[in-house]
Structure formats: structure tokens, C-alpha cells
Amino acid sequence: MSEENKFNFEYICKKIITDRISLVVFLLLGLLVGIFVAIQTPQYYTAQTLLAPEQTGKSSLSESVENMLKDLEVDFNTNTSADGVYPALYPDIFSTKSFIVELFSVPVTLETGITKTYYRHLVEDTKLGLAAQAKRSIMKLFPKKKAATSGEEKLDPFRLTDEQEDIVELIQGSMACIYNRRAGIICITAVDQDPHVAASLVDTLQNRLKRFVADYKTQKERIALSNAQKALDESRAEYEKAKKRYTAFADANQDVTLQTIGTQLATLENELQIAYQHYEKRQKQLQKSRADVQYADPVFVQLSSPTIPNHQSGISPLTIVLIWVLLFVVLDGLWVVAIKERVSFTKSQS
């Protein structure tokens, strides 16, 4: 075989087509391996939703500076000094173990109609790929440091079992929260082998994110509301006591015209009026506290709702088969040109 024919693509193709038996054998092998890999490769469905969080605080920058910062993807709308939880931190919230562990007990309904917790679904229904199966087989050869107890019933967030750690890693790779600084949009995605679970998980994630942010942003106002409610209850109790004292004293001294009785009755009436004024004041403070909580509650504009995906994401089984068939055709070319022909050439020389 001459050097100029070594890397001649047309020559290699002719040699592959000429040796039909070898080509058929490699095509069949590629087809079988491709079908096997396609069957063993789990198919995933991706669901997503888009949210636009409200921007708190008015920027004092000029329009030209704002446009320049947008081009640089600088989140100038985020007031980190005034607000500890801002949109750029939302992806970090999703990656925390405390946030993920709370998803273990979330009920999900499968496409078959069966309802179970998200944890049990991942443990019982998740199909592993070839690489994950190989990794699990290798890990079984080594002893576990901790007993792998199964089930979220024995969940200890401070000390997860090996199985629970694996589920946490699986969930971390199955969901994502992406914040587009330029557009100010949050994209929440979830991937699962069941389309119904993927859509349900996205809905759960967006609701939990909204609740987490709302709880943080309204924390001070809710404390003030609780204090206002306690103050109102105390004022109401004082008002009721003053009213009872005044009514009891007035009923007991209806026909008495003594000056001392009249003076004492006037004193009790003044106490009743003061208690009522305090009670009215506390009512207004409670209404104001409720309004403050509503005002501080963040608003998320939902640009797209999570829907059940109809099509699988990732590489289709047919594409996997074609890739392996093509790979084995390349191997056939290496066999025919680089090995078989070289062996024949060596034999002829000897």
C-alpha cells in the first residue's frame, strides 16, 4: 500500500465497499450495539417556566450608563445592600442541600396515574444509563461508610445517608434556575424521565422560590403585624374591662345623687373613652401592618406556565443507532485499510 493511498478518502471508501463481507459484519455489529445502547439509554423530558421578578428601587444612573451596563451584563438593578436576597442569588438557592432536601416529600403524579413522593419516584422509577450502571457496579465492590437506609421517613438533613446523598446529586443535575441579567428573566427548568413529573416539579420549584423570597422580604413586616395583633388584643381586653367596670358601677348607682358617686362615674367614663381610643388606634395600626405586608410581598410575573412536554429531550434512539453504525463503518475502514491490507502486504513480502 503506497503512502499516497494511506490517507486517500476515495481509496478507503473503495476498499470498504469492495470488502462487502467485512462491511456487512461491521454494519450488523454497529446496528446491534446501537440498538442495545439506545434501549439502555433513558429518555428524558424537559419542562420549564419563565418568571420576571419585580425590580425594587429606582436606579439613579443615566440611560446611557444603564445601556452600557446591560451590554456588560451587569445587574445594576440589584440593590444588594438593601436586599439580601436578589434575583442573581436565586440559582444559588436552588443548589443548596436544604432547598433540595425539602423536595423529597413533594407528592408527584406519574404518567400512569400513580402518586408517590418525589424521593420514592427517583429511587424506584429512575432508569440508569450505562455509565451510571457501571459506576454503581464498581461502587458495590467497596464497603459503605454509612448504612444506606431507604426512605425519606428517616431523613436527617444534618446527616444524609449514602442513598440520600445520591438522590441530592441526582436532583441537582435534574433542575436549574438561570437568571438572565440583561432581560431580567428567570428560567426554571426540570428534567425527568416522566413528563408529568417534570411539569409538576417545575411548578413546585417556582412556587417554593416565590414562597422563599416572599418569606424573606416580608419577615420584618410579618413580625410587626404579629406585634400589632398582640397590642390590639391587649387593647380590646382593656376596653372590655373598662366597659364592664363602668356599666357595673352605673347600674349599681342609678338612683344615687351623691357628688362622690357622680365624680367616680365620670372617672370611669373617662377611662372607658381612653381605652376605646387606644383600641381604635391599635385597629388602625393593625390595618397599616397588613398593608405593609402586602406591599412588601414581591410580585413575580409569569411569562410562561409549566406544561407537560410532548417530546423527549436529548438524543433520540434513532440518532444513537445511526451514530454507532457510523462508528462501526469507520472501524471497518480501519480494519480493511490499516490492519487487513497491512497483514496481506506483509505475507506477500515474506
Side-chain angles (χ1 to χ4, degrees), residues 228-240 279 282:
Q229 184 64 56
K230 291 180 181 178
L232 177 64
D233 294 340
E234 293 175 358
S235 298
R236 183 188 293 113
E238 290 296 329
Y239 171 68
E240 293 296 335
Y279 177 57
R282 300 302 184 190

Side-chain angles (χ1 to χ4, degrees), residues 25-300:
V25 171
F26 274 87
L27 283 176
L28 289 176
L29 287 175
L31 184 63
L32 292 176
V33 173
I35 293 174
F36 174 76
V37 173
I39 292 175
Q40 293 297 320
T41 301
Q43 298 300 309
Y44 293 92
Y45 296 86
T46 302
Q48 72 171 18
T49 183
L50 297 177
L51 301 174
E54 66 173 353
Q55 300 292 348
T56 58
K58 179 67 177 176
S59 176
S60 60
L61 302 175
S62 64
E63 185 177 354
S64 59
V65 176
E66 289 183 0
N67 292 333
M68 181 184 69
L69 292 176
K70 280 185 177 181
D71 292 335
L72 295 175
E73 294 190 351
V74 176
D75 190 14
F76 62 89
N77 284 323
T78 299
N79 187 1
T80 58
S81 62
D83 193 356
V85 176
Y86 46 96
L89 283 182
Y90 294 171
D92 296 326
I93 296 173
F94 272 58
S95 63
T96 59
K97 280 188 178 181
S98 58
F99 185 87
I100 294 175
V101 167
E102 290 181 354
L103 299 174
F104 283 5
S105 59
V106 172
V108 294
T109 303
L110 280 63
E111 191 174 17
T112 56
I114 300 175
T115 301
K116 59 179 66 175
T117 63
Y118 186 47
Y119 184 95
R120 294 256 56 87
H121 162 65
L122 293 178
V123 172
E124 299 172 357
D125 306 324
T126 300
K127 178 182 177 182
L128 299 178
L130 291 174
Q133 291 179 20
K135 179 182 176 181
R136 174 170 290 186
S137 300
I138 295 174
M139 293 302 295
K140 285 182 178 180
L141 300 177
F142 301 93
K144 294 281 187 180
K145 294 182 180 179
K146 298 177 287 183
T149 58
S150 176
E152 66 277 11
E153 297 82 3
K154 300 179 181 180
L155 176 64
D156 181 5
F158 297 98
R159 188 176 182 179
L160 300 177
T161 65
D162 293 316
E163 181 183 88
Q164 291 164 354
E165 287 282 2
D166 293 340
I167 296 299
V168 168
E169 294 179 2
L170 182 60
I171 296 176
Q172 285 177 333
S174 301
M175 66 180 190
C177 177
I178 302 173
Y179 175 57
N180 189 324
R181 297 175 184 267
R182 182 179 178 84
I185 295 175
I186 300 170
C187 178
I188 299 176
T189 61
V191 179
D192 196 86
Q193 296 177 14
D194 190 295
H196 289 250
V197 175
S200 175
L201 182 58
V202 166
D203 186 61
T204 299
L205 290 174
Q206 71 167 356
N207 290 332
R208 298 215 167 196
L209 177 63
K210 292 177 182 178
R211 188 183 67 187
F212 180 88
V213 177
D215 289 345
Y216 172 81
K217 290 182 179 290
T218 61
Q219 183 177 10
K220 294 179 181 178
E221 287 72 15
R222 284 185 288 107
I223 293 175
L225 177 61
S226 177
N227 293 334
Q229 184 64 56
K230 291 180 181 178
L232 177 64
D233 294 340
E234 293 175 358
S235 298
R236 183 188 293 113
E238 290 296 329
Y239 171 68
E240 293 296 335
K241 289 180 181 178
K243 186 167 64 173
K244 287 182 180 179
R245 287 197 300 267
Y246 174 79
T247 303
F249 188 83
D251 291 342
N253 299 276
Q254 279 185 340
D255 300 327
V256 180
T257 58
L258 294 176
Q259 185 66 29
T260 55
I261 299 299
T263 303
Q264 191 170 355
L265 186 63
T267 301
L268 291 176
E269 185 177 2
N270 289 335
E271 291 178 356
L272 178 61
Q273 291 296 329
I274 293 173
Y276 180 73
Q277 291 174 1
H278 286 171
Y279 177 57
E280 270 193 330
K281 183 179 178 181
R282 300 302 184 190
Q283 282 183 318
K284 293 178 180 178
Q285 289 178 346
L286 181 64
Q287 292 175 356
K288 181 180 180 301
S289 297
R290 287 174 177 170
D292 290 340
V293 172
Q294 293 179 354
Y295 181 78
D297 194 9
V299 177
F300 288 86

